[in-house]
Amino acid sequence: MRRALIAVGVAALLFFTAFPFAWMITTAFKPPDEIFVSPPELLPRRITLANLARLFDETRFAVYMLNSVLVAGATVLLTLALAVPGAYALTRFRFRGRESVTATILLTYMFAPIMIIIPFYVLMRALGLVNTHAGLVLAYTAFCLPFALWLLRTYFQAIPVELEEAAMTDGASRAQTVRHVLLPVALPGVVATGTFTFILAWNDYIFARVLLAADELKTLPVGIADLYNASVVDWGMIMSAGMLVLVPVLAVFVFLQRYLVAGWGSGGIKG
Amino acid sequence: MNRVAALLLACAAGVAALPAHAQKVIRVWHTETQPNSQEVMRTIGKRFEAKNPGVKVEVEGLAWGDLEGKIMASLAAGAPPELSHGQPITCTALQAKGLLLPLDDVVKALGEANIWDQVKRVCRVGGKQYGLVHAAGTSLLIYRKDLATKAGLKPPKTWADLIANAKALTTSEMAGITIPGDNLFINILLGELLKANGGIFFDKQNRPQLTAKQMIETLEFIRELTRYAPKGWEGHGYLETFTNLYGQKAAMMYQGYGRGAGLIEKSAPAAMANTDHFDVWVKPHGPSGKEPAAQVDEEPWMLFKGAKNTKEAIEFLKFFYQKENYLEYVQTVPIHLFPITKSLRADKDYQATPMIQRWKSWIEVQEGYLNKDQGKPTLVIDWDDMTSKPYLMEVLGSGILRDMVMDVALEGKPAKDAAARAQKRLEELLKSKGYLK
Amino acid sequence: MSQHASARTGWLLVLPALLLLAALTLYPVAYGIWISFFNKHSFFPEQEFIGLANYVAVFGDEQFWHSLELGAIYSVTTIVLQLTLGVGGALLLHEKMPARGLIRAISIFPYVIPTVVAVIVWKWLLNSQFGLVNYALESAGAIDRPISWMGRDWIMVSLILVSVWQFFPFVLLAVLARLQTIPEELYDAAKVDGASALLRFWHVTLPHLASVLFVVLLLRSIWMFTKFDTPWLIIQGGGAEPYIRTLPIYTYQRTFAYYEAGRGSAMAVLMFLMLVAAAALYFHLWRREERL
């Protein structure tokens, strides 16, 4: 009985989560005259690849995809490069102001992002970073850093400091200890943090919209939004764009979910 | 970790340093976001680059909602693009602040008499042309000719006629008329209707006239008309109203535009994609008005004073309007992108465009509005407004007029009350901007 | 290692992160607060100092209060639903089942895609004329006329639906991870004591989840209260905007459509203060969970 209930529950969960994607995929393969029919039909009668073809011929979708990967990837690297040492310092060292640093981090999230857009643009302009991917990476890093610091901090806190102390007593330097003792244990947490950072950078719309001007620099959210707003709303093409955004993500996720679940758990958000 | 960070920062610095060419860059922002229009704009840019070595043209197509925000951000940062599209009232507002440069050189190159008067009226201040329209189409009352003929309906001359037609065309499957409910289009609609009813938004002292008879009648007409619109019309965007039309969920469309012909050909059943099924009527006038009124969708090119390469930008615009380029541009959305030059309009290559042949009546109605001076930009009642009322942009963005229409049409409030409330809000807005004492 | 060297190394390690944050986050925030005391046109550089006038105007603006109300309805409803679905989903996925990895991955999907894709897909599903949802409801006999999901009566529901769909996996992930660390022995002991499933959940699971839920509740509250992308993208291309004009949307409009940067900033500052107050309240109520 219990098994049956669980199965029903999981099925419902999967349906709720996945059905919109399934609908998106079937629409991507429908010709235009099958899209605007009432009543709607689940499966295409004639499968067409024309929507996909149009997506790649008429738009710069491939470029947008590449840009998103580059920008999000660079953001993850930069964020981790700053957050790992930072979180380490916040948990392993005693220094004045340690606690207030943490509070400040949380506070920066409470100011609505849309309001800092204009001063941010002005700042980027002064640095000559408008309309560059570098500027966008900096923006995303700044946005992700507080959350990354907090996450990593909780992971590091859960790892007993005795492990490192033992290693250092055995003569290892602090740097060696971090590399060989701490990071391997904290890896799930680092991966989880990196993944959340990637998602935040991957999904952003407003910073990319304001900071980027050239079409060939656009990231996916902006590119797809433009396709949607274009004068002739090509649902088939838009849905194929959405579908293509999914496929790599699915692959990455099946691989990473193991780390994510472990990472959150070992992130010692314990009572 | 440190090595990676250092490498990354070095890369970032390198990338940031790259675009320091000795090239002159012209940034061009436009609002024709259809993929084919974007492609043509890029091609025109490349052709110009080929003829002008040392110049790079960066073209970007943006949706309306984003364009204003970007223009603003760029002005705030002191680095606007060289050229951008904008609403006519935006052009006026920017010119009033001294942020634009005149485009008279381009006008001369095209021939002053060659450009329709309607077009020159937009953003013309002190005898100088501060905005040059890229293409001018008017709004259209599109209707199902086959259904109307069957019901024996005549072209509506007055608002009462239109209501009657909408009622006659309404069935359980199909609404009589579809109109968009978003802010921009409600403002456009209100502007058209008020003008067609002989009213004005503001008097010469900038006092709002919303409680006047003409506006009350207009509000009540909208309430009546929307009874024949699909339920939830307030959530329909511009594109959805087209979908309603060719998806056969509505029989008429008050705010259609030329691009509808392209959409119909693409998505309606092939047998119906012609003027026997989808034709246009001239818009009716209201009880207190005499003539029809339509909105002219004519966004001007604007040249920003604070941009770097304004001379090259002027040359680019001249190049843009040359027949070879301009023809290709207007052909991307044929019935909608109406050329601003009489020469191209009369040109046989333009006339021979197949779509233009197929949808001739749609073009003729637009021309009629333009020739009779019955078309005006959004919220503009008289051409004077363009220079004497630089606050129309804020009025549009505030949504006050749209809230008023919704109060009457959706919330069932009496027109007088809704108008009085909106009047108060407008007065407060204008006072805070210093236009009203 | 001496205490001094420790402190210095500590600061050095955290300094790059802090510098970046200070430059790119604190400066814009400070500018935003600064400008809230001015009357400034968003486009143009002229500004005049008006002290607290913007704040007074905001408090007297009926639309501000209405937006606050809409925002509260939106935040509270989405958070409750996200928590319910997230916890329920986590409990389900904690069980052993075939292809568990794949199922978990799929459950997390909505969180991973850009908001614009989520909105586009749901707008199409909820299309009043051609959407699948209306068709399904009509076929099942639940409604006899199509629901206009983007119209005045239902657009808030649509917004909540999309937001819950998109963000409940965040909760699911956090809770699921925590569930995996609860030792089996505790459940075994409870079963031995004769506790039912419900009691086991209440006495074993829930206490362990308390700290995760605390964090999740805090973060989701901040993010749903200041959420801009989702309602904004729903409004694009048609959607009865006045009925989902939450505070972030109205703030954006004041800045980018009324062109009143000062007023907009004042509203942002007020939102900020509200969140700070709420967060302080949270921390006070859950003081024992403080060592996060």
Side-chain angles (χ1 to χ4, degrees):
Chain A
M1 181 59 196
R2 190 161 175 271
R3 303 295 315 173
L5 277 178
I6 289 173
V8 167
V10 171
L13 180 69
L14 280 183
F15 183 76
F16 180 58
T17 318
F19 181 75
F21 295 114
W23 183 239
M24 179 166 66
I25 293 172
T26 57
T27 307
F29 290 111
K30 283 183 190 164
D33 53 337
E34 282 186 41
I35 294 180
F36 287 104
V37 289
S38 174
E41 293 172 1
L42 269 173
L43 294 171
R45 291 196 199 181
R46 298 170 353 249
I47 295 190
T48 174
L49 294 176
N51 297 324
L52 275 167
R54 257 202 320 287
L55 184 66
F56 285 104
D57 288 338
E58 290 182 20
T59 72
R60 285 183 151 142
F61 182 77
V63 174
Y64 302 154
M65 176 77 102
L66 184 64
N67 290 336
S68 272
V69 171
L70 282 177
V71 168
T75 304
V76 170
L77 288 177
L78 185 56
T79 304
L80 288 178
L82 293 173
V84 168
Y88 184 71
L90 288 173
T91 53
R92 295 289 188 254
F93 290 89
R94 300 189 182 293
F95 49 92
R96 270 183 307 134
R98 187 174 73 160
E99 289 311 314
S100 51
V101 162
T102 317
T104 316
I105 288 169
L106 187 57
L107 282 178
T108 57
Y109 271 139
M110 298 194 188
F111 208 83
I114 47 149
M115 285 320 298
I116 68 172
I117 272 291
I118 290 224
F120 200 88
Y121 182 88
V122 175
L123 184 62
M124 286 288 121
R125 186 80 214 170
L127 293 173
L129 290 176
V130 165
N131 205 29
T132 63
H133 279 160
L136 203 55
V137 170
L138 280 180
Y140 290 155
T141 304
F143 188 64
C144 299
L145 208 45
F147 186 56
L149 275 169
W150 189 354
L151 266 188
L152 279 174
R153 191 169 148 262
T154 59
Y155 301 142
F156 288 169
Q157 269 177 339
I159 296 169
V161 77
E162 289 78 24
L163 284 174
E164 292 157 63
E165 285 176 351
M168 286 197 286
T169 321
D170 286 348
S173 75
R174 190 173 279 278
Q176 284 174 323
T177 313
V178 169
R179 263 183 69 201
H180 296 288
V181 176
L182 180 64
L183 283 183
V185 177
L187 186 63
V190 173
V191 170
T193 308
T195 310
F196 276 109
T197 305
F198 187 87
I199 294 171
L200 286 176
W202 179 260
N203 286 353
D204 171 78
Y205 172 76
I206 198 152
F207 280 96
R209 170 50 82 200
V210 174
L211 291 177
L212 294 177
D215 190 52
E216 59 266 10
L217 292 180
K218 278 184 202 166
T219 54
L220 278 173
V222 171
I224 295 178
D226 283 349
L227 289 183
Y228 176 61
N229 283 323
S231 302
V232 182
V233 178
D234 190 336
W235 283 108
M237 188 170 79
I238 290 173
M239 292 300 162
S240 37
M243 177 181 73
L244 289 179
V245 167
L246 266 201
V247 169
V249 169
L250 170 64
V252 166
F253 253 63
V254 175
F255 170 70
L256 279 183
Q257 64 85 28
R258 188 164 49 103
Y259 284 104
L260 286 176
V261 175
W264 262 110
S266 76
I269 312 188
K270 295 179 166 55
Chain B
M1 275 301 172
N2 284 332
R3 269 179 295 159
V4 173
L7 188 64
L8 203 69
L9 287 171
C11 282
V15 167
L18 267 180
H21 357 259
Q23 281 193 322
K24 291 183 180 241
V25 177
I26 309 176
R27 288 188 296 153
V28 176
W29 293 354
H30 69 96
T31 49
E32 289 302 315
T33 48
Q34 232 173 292
N36 60 341
S37 308
Q38 297 229 41
E39 193 51 49
V40 165
M41 279 302 296
R42 282 196 285 265
T43 309
I44 296 177
K46 287 205 176 34
R47 284 185 196 146
F48 186 75
E49 286 175 358
K51 285 211 160 93
N52 295 276
V55 176
K56 183 156 164 33
V57 181
E58 273 178 15
V59 176
E60 192 183 354
L62 287 167
W64 273 118
D66 296 318
L67 182 69
E68 293 267 281
K70 278 202 81 151
I71 291 180
M72 166 149 38
S74 69
L75 281 169
E82 274 69 22
L83 291 167
S84 176
H85 280 181
Q87 289 267 1
I89 52 182
T90 307
C91 186
T92 310
L94 294 179
Q95 192 283 325
K97 300 271 182 185
L99 293 166
L100 302 178
L101 288 173
L103 294 167
D104 294 295
D105 281 349
V106 185
V107 172
K108 273 205 206 65
L110 293 172
E112 179 113 23
N114 190 16
I115 304 178
W116 302 85
D117 276 340
Q118 290 265 318
V119 164
K120 287 193 295 232
R121 296 278 222 157
V122 171
C123 220
R124 188 180 185 86
V125 185
K128 295 205 177 138
Q129 197 70 39
Y130 282 92
L132 191 55
V133 169
H134 74 102
T138 70
S139 66
L140 294 167
L141 172 58
I142 309 176
Y143 73 105
R144 284 286 297 276
K145 192 168 188 173
D146 52 327
L147 298 175
T149 316
K150 221 196 300 189
L153 299 177
K154 297 233 177 332
K157 287 263 175 309
T158 64
W159 285 355
D161 293 340
L162 186 61
I163 300 272
N165 285 4
K167 192 164 179 193
L169 288 167
T170 305
T171 70
S172 57
E173 297 297 308
M174 195 183 277
I177 189 162
T178 172
I179 60 173
D182 66 277
N183 188 41
L184 174 62
F185 281 90
I186 293 285
N187 274 271
I188 292 176
L189 177 70
L190 204 57
E192 287 186 23
L193 293 179
L194 189 62
K195 172 108 176 109
N197 202 30
I200 55 173
F201 281 110
F202 302 95
D203 66 7
K204 291 228 183 308
Q205 281 76 39
N206 297 330
R207 282 189 300 251
Q209 303 294 307
L210 301 183
T211 47
K213 175 174 83 136
Q214 292 91 343
M215 178 57 94
I216 304 291
E217 286 172 343
T218 306
L219 290 172
E220 287 171 349
F221 169 62
I222 296 178
R223 174 169 47 212
E224 261 307 293
L225 193 62
T226 51
R227 284 177 53 202
Y228 304 104
K231 183 135 177 26
W233 64 270
E234 71 275 10
H236 290 173
Y238 168 54
L239 290 169
E240 181 144 12
T241 53
F242 280 113
T243 313
N244 289 342
L245 186 71
Y246 59 70
Q248 308 200 54
K249 299 287 179 179
M252 286 195 288
M253 192 177 172
Y254 197 81
Q255 279 159 299
Y257 289 86
R259 68 176 80 251
L263 293 170
I264 289 170
E265 286 193 352
K266 191 161 175 171
S267 307
M272 289 178 61
N274 49 55
T275 49
D276 290 327
H277 288 81
F278 295 99
D279 205 355
V280 293
W281 274 325
V282 174
K283 295 193 182 189
H285 62 83
S288 300
K290 293 199 197 62
E291 285 181 60
Q295 182 244 13
V296 186
D297 184 21
E298 44 182 11
E299 296 119 17
W301 285 109
M302 300 182 288
L303 178 64
F304 286 87
K305 197 186 236 178
K308 278 213 204 87
N309 302 304
T310 53
K311 281 208 185 49
E312 288 77 9
I314 291 187
E315 293 308 309
F316 175 74
L317 261 195
K318 288 187 198 166
F319 185 73
F320 169 80
Y321 284 109
Q322 280 172 17
K323 175 183 160 176
E324 160 197 47
N325 300 311
Y326 198 38
L327 178 62
E328 239 181 271
Y329 179 73
V330 300
Q331 279 176 332
T332 59
V333 197
I335 315 298
H336 189 95
L337 293 178
F338 210 72
I340 66 167
T341 53
K342 299 179 185 162
S343 56
L344 191 62
R345 172 77 183 94
D347 186 287
K348 57 175 165 46
D349 288 330
Y350 175 75
Q351 304 270 10
T353 313
M355 267 202 85
I356 296 193
Q357 292 288 318
R358 292 197 289 273
W359 300 89
K360 244 205 183 110
S361 55
W362 288 39
I363 300 250
E364 281 159 7
V365 167
Q366 291 186 64
E367 267 191 318
Y369 290 134
L370 290 176
N371 283 333
K372 298 198 190 105
D373 197 29
Q374 289 167 345
K376 299 282 184 307
T378 312
L379 289 186
V380 169
I381 302 287
D382 294 302
W383 287 112
D384 269 345
D385 293 350
M386 295 235 66
T387 45
S388 63
K389 300 182 168 58
Y391 47 80
L392 291 177
M393 192 172 67
E394 280 98 322
V395 169
L396 175 63
S398 71
I400 292 173
L401 294 174
R402 189 254 211 122
D403 285 350
M404 173 179 71
V405 169
M406 292 305 178
D407 277 347
V408 174
L410 282 183
E411 306 290 328
K413 296 211 175 83
K416 284 200 178 54
D417 296 347
R421 178 167 167 260
Q423 173 115 336
K424 201 155 153 274
R425 290 175 71 192
L426 272 185
E427 281 167 0
E428 191 221 328
L429 177 71
L430 289 174
K431 280 206 187 88
S432 81
K433 306 262 175 214
Y435 293 108
L436 203 57
K437 296 293 170 264
Chain C
M1 234 182 245
S2 77
Q3 204 61 349
H4 271 307
S6 275
R8 201 160 32 105
T9 319
W11 269 109
L12 274 177
L13 285 175
V14 85
L15 213 52
L18 285 184
L19 281 179
L20 193 79
L21 279 179
L24 298 181
T25 312
L26 291 181
Y27 159 70
V29 168
Y31 180 78
I33 297 174
W34 169 251
I35 213 71
S36 72
F37 298 111
F38 287 78
N39 184 8
K40 183 182 187 323
H41 191 294
S42 306
F43 251 116
F44 309 123
E46 310 96 56
Q47 57 192 57
E48 65 167 310
F49 180 74
I50 54 172
L52 291 173
N54 277 328
Y55 291 92
V56 173
V58 168
F59 282 119
D61 179 5
E62 65 171 341
Q63 181 61 58
F64 170 74
W65 295 106
H66 187 61
S67 289
L68 185 57
E69 187 190 328
L70 287 173
I73 293 172
Y74 171 60
S75 307
V76 172
T77 317
T78 40
I79 289 168
V80 167
L81 289 173
Q82 283 171 11
L83 280 177
T84 314
L85 275 177
V87 172
L91 288 171
L92 277 173
L93 293 186
H94 185 48
E95 303 282 335
K96 295 201 192 322
M97 61 186 71
R100 191 163 66 166
L102 181 62
I103 293 178
R104 283 178 178 172
I106 295 177
S107 311
I108 299 170
F109 260 19
Y111 184 64
V112 183
I113 59 171
T115 304
V116 84
V117 175
V119 168
I120 287 174
V121 168
W122 275 102
K123 273 194 122 171
W124 183 231
L125 279 170
L126 293 172
N127 187 286
S128 48
Q129 322 279 29
F130 304 106
L132 203 53
V133 173
N134 269 346
Y135 175 65
L137 287 174
E138 277 181 284
S139 306
I143 56 175
D144 42 39
R145 286 176 57 211
I147 293 181
S148 160
W149 292 99
M150 295 293 141
R152 128 187 209 270
D153 297 324
W154 290 91
I155 191 169
M156 179 56 97
V157 174
S158 305
L159 174 61
I160 290 173
L161 178 59
V162 177
S163 305
V164 170
W165 182 82
Q166 207 189 345
F167 296 111
F168 90 93
F170 180 87
V171 180
L172 194 156
L173 203 55
V175 172
L176 184 60
R178 190 71 183 89
L179 282 176
Q180 318 248 283
T181 66
I182 301 177
E184 261 317 295
E185 307 87 65
L186 290 176
Y187 288 111
D188 293 338
K191 271 190 222 162
V192 162
D193 285 349
S196 68
L198 196 58
L199 279 176
R200 289 203 298 276
F201 175 74
W202 194 256
H203 288 286
V204 179
T205 316
L206 214 45
H208 277 86
L209 288 184
S211 47
V212 173
L213 288 179
F214 175 80
V215 174
V216 162
L217 190 57
L218 181 60
L219 286 176
R220 287 255 56 91
S221 300
I222 295 174
W223 284 335
M224 293 323 287
F225 190 67
T226 55
K227 186 137 296 283
F228 173 77
D229 281 10
T230 314
W232 177 251
L233 288 167
I234 285 185
I235 291 166
Q236 297 312 301
E241 175 261 332
Y243 301 96
I244 52 171
R245 195 182 286 164
T246 57
L247 218 43
I249 299 285
Y250 186 45
T251 308
Y252 181 88
Q253 287 173 339
R254 272 273 137 153
T255 314
F256 291 82
Y258 282 74
Y259 303 117
E260 292 169 3
R263 269 288 270 272
S265 287
M267 286 167 63
V269 170
L270 285 174
M271 270 199 283
F272 172 74
L273 291 175
M274 281 187 255
L275 281 174
V276 169
L281 192 63
Y282 272 151
F283 276 100
H284 180 73
L285 287 176
W286 292 80
R287 180 136 327 163
R288 60 194 169 91
E289 309 299 345
E290 208 174 2
R291 197 188 71 81
L292 286 167

